Amino acid sequence: MSGTDDDAGVDGGASDHGFDVARRVARTREADMYRDLQPTDVVDSAAYFAPDPGGDLPVLAGERELVFASNNYLGLTQDERVQKAAREAADTVGTGAGASRLVTGDTLVHRDLEARLAETKGTERALAFSSGYAANVGTITALDPDVVFSDELNHASIVDGCRLSDAEVVTYDHCDADDLRAKLAACDTQGSWLVVTETVFPMDGSVAPLAALCDAADRHGAWTMVDESHATGVYDDGGGIVQRDGLADRVDVQLGALSKALASQGGYVAGSDELVELLANDARSFGCSTGLTPTAAAVASEALHIARHGAIRSRLWENVAHLREGLTDFGFDVHGSSQILPVMVGDRRDAVDLADAVRDRGVFTSPIRPPTVPEGTSRVRVAPMATHDRVDIEDCILAFKDAGEALGLL
Ligand code: PMP
């Protein structure tokens, strides 16, 4: 509220304790980071959500687009078995948990998901959270470390967990085990130390050198915590990089989101019996928040089962190889060593123009620019899905080639 003569402070001076939201919005727009989130008219949802088994439903545009920008890496959000699991959970358990898991929100659907996660991750137990964000914040605050050693590109939910825990935070260079080693050796703070890294980094497609990070942590008796949000379901036996690299017995906390390859919503932590007991009792984002929706739990559980036992992962990796090769052959600079393929452009305007021009050709990708990534490293993030067929991949490659040529970027 703006100050007027009528609301002058008791000392007679004008006071204004409101929020200048308009100025902050203007600053956000200047950063040019988000697509316009304009309100729409009420729409006929039946028309919007017509079934599209290709897994490439338009997000908002109202016309069919090939989506190469989603974290739905296995394309399971439109898998019939997964949809059936959601329906059955809604029919039998209900659409909402109704309360915290610690009160009346605990169901067999949650327990089933947790058992499958623990089995996949090779841990004693697992615990489902209502989001990946809540899992990170709740876990770091409940562990209450004295020092956190954190990769400089770690997700905001890890950063916020550190802030809320009051830990001393030491960042190390991205995926650099030598720098971590040096920072650990230079630290003289007493108490408990936690090394935290994502495994697959979503904006760079990079993969953490996990064995070397564990070696460095072990030398100081520090705990290792990994965020496998973008890896879970995608790697060996439906696990993440921990499973690919055989490190389940060396990583203390395996954590992630259920909203990427597992086609759902929510988060999890997998680890020892004691860790899960601690989190169930002390993680406020678990106990003081309504339990994960049963439908979300059932979806993630079914998706995990499919990821573990189906051929779907090999289809994803075939698509990744095909797309990487096609884009590289046409002269694009494709980074990353995971299923995420950032096409490096450099200039922020070029990244937006390239993504727009690719979209004009029917393929939806996302431009990533500062402040999300450093100035001069803007890119278009391309993420194929297991449900794309060969023609879809070819269409994506051709859209990039035509757009790149039209813009003079090739
Ligand atoms: N960790 C990472 C690495 C993420 O990318 C995300 C979300 N994009 C999260 C945590 C948070 O997960 P959620 O969306 O389930 O809150």
Side-chain angles (χ1 to χ4, degrees):
M1 223 203 294
S2 58
T4 64
D5 288 350
D6 289 344
D7 52 44
V10 282
D11 60 357
S15 64
D16 183 347
H17 300 290
F19 296 85
D20 192 348
V21 176
R23 188 173 56 85
R24 291 200 205 165
V25 168
R27 216 168 49 202
T28 310
R29 294 230 191 283
E30 255 166 52
D32 191 27
M33 194 176 153
Y34 301 106
R35 285 176 190 275
D36 262 355
L37 293 180
Q38 298 294 338
T40 58
D41 294 333
V42 174
V43 292
D44 172 5
S45 61
Y48 248 41
F49 299 117
D52 182 356
D56 48 9
L57 200 68
V59 180
L60 263 180
E63 38 187 82
R64 196 171 190 277
E65 285 178 304
L66 267 179
V67 176
F68 273 81
S70 175
N71 299 328
N72 175 24
Y73 303 116
L74 296 176
L76 288 175
T77 60
Q78 300 203 8
D79 184 281
E80 274 176 11
R81 295 160 292 180
V82 174
Q83 290 172 323
K84 182 163 169 266
R87 277 194 301 274
E88 283 177 359
D91 287 347
T92 54
V93 185
T95 55
S100 162
R101 297 274 302 284
L102 298 183
V103 189
T104 58
D106 201 11
T107 73
L108 282 178
V109 181
H110 295 96
R111 298 298 177 112
D112 171 63
L113 168 66
E114 289 166 350
R116 281 196 181 164
L117 282 163
E119 190 185 10
T120 306
K121 301 289 176 181
T123 58
E124 286 174 344
R125 282 178 69 185
L127 190 67
F129 284 70
S130 54
S131 72
Y133 190 99
N136 266 323
V137 169
T139 301
I140 298 173
T141 49
L143 284 174
D144 194 18
D146 292 292
V147 189
V148 178
F149 297 86
S150 179
D151 186 292
E152 62 178 332
L153 295 190
N154 274 343
H155 189 261
S157 52
I158 297 174
V159 173
D160 291 358
C162 293
R163 285 180 184 163
L164 209 56
S165 76
D166 271 348
E168 176 186 336
V169 179
V170 178
T171 50
Y172 61 89
D173 294 344
H174 178 51
C175 284
D176 188 337
D178 288 338
D179 193 45
L180 172 63
R181 216 169 287 129
K183 300 255 162 79
L184 285 160
C187 182
D188 54 16
T189 304
Q190 297 303 307
S192 48
W193 293 4
L194 185 66
V195 173
V196 185
T197 184
E198 291 175 41
T199 54
V200 169
F201 286 80
M203 298 303 151
D204 291 65
S206 45
V207 177
L210 212 46
L213 299 179
C214 287
D215 288 345
D218 281 355
R219 204 161 298 147
H220 297 270
W223 270 35
T224 309
M225 166 171 154
V226 298
D227 181 336
E228 295 249 64
S229 290
H230 293 269
T232 295
V234 169
Y235 287 89
D236 297 42
D237 294 329
I241 297 296
V242 172
Q243 282 62 48
R244 185 197 72 174
D245 294 354
L247 295 169
D249 56 345
R250 299 191 62 199
V251 172
D252 301 281
V253 186
Q254 299 182 54
L255 168 158
L258 304 172
S259 48
K260 322 293 183 199
L262 299 188
S264 186
Q265 182 97 30
Y268 71 86
V269 178
S272 67
D273 197 28
E274 289 82 18
L275 174 72
V276 169
E277 280 296 308
L278 173 79
L279 296 180
N281 290 292
D282 281 10
R284 288 159 66 86
S285 62
F286 176 80
C288 307
S289 186
T290 299
L292 180 67
T293 310
T295 47
V299 162
S301 187
E302 182 63 22
L304 187 57
H305 181 72
I306 294 169
R308 286 201 80 182
H309 303 291
I312 196 159
R313 280 179 294 108
S314 45
R315 287 205 290 280
L316 172 66
W317 290 108
E318 279 162 25
N319 285 345
V320 170
H322 185 177
L323 189 55
R324 180 186 287 282
E325 191 184 321
L327 292 172
T328 309
D329 282 353
F330 282 123
F332 285 104
D333 180 16
V334 184
H335 280 202
S337 48
S338 64
Q339 79 279 14
I340 299 161
L341 306 176
V343 175
M344 303 308 286
V345 178
D347 179 72
R348 61 160 74 199
R349 194 68 252 164
D350 286 344
V352 174
D353 288 348
L354 179 59
D356 283 349
V358 166
R359 196 167 182 185
D360 288 343
R361 289 158 176 80
V363 175
F364 187 0
T365 57
S366 42
I368 310 291
R369 50 222 142 110
T372 308
V373 293
E375 202 64 61
T377 69
S378 291
R379 64 206 65 178
V380 176
R381 180 179 184 270
V382 186
M385 296 191 291
T387 41
H388 288 133
D389 61 24
R390 269 194 96 73
V391 176
D392 296 334
I393 301 290
E394 293 291 339
D395 284 349
C396 178
I397 295 168
L398 284 179
F400 265 90
K401 173 183 172 283
D402 289 352
E405 282 173 356
L407 294 168
L409 294 174
L410 288 178

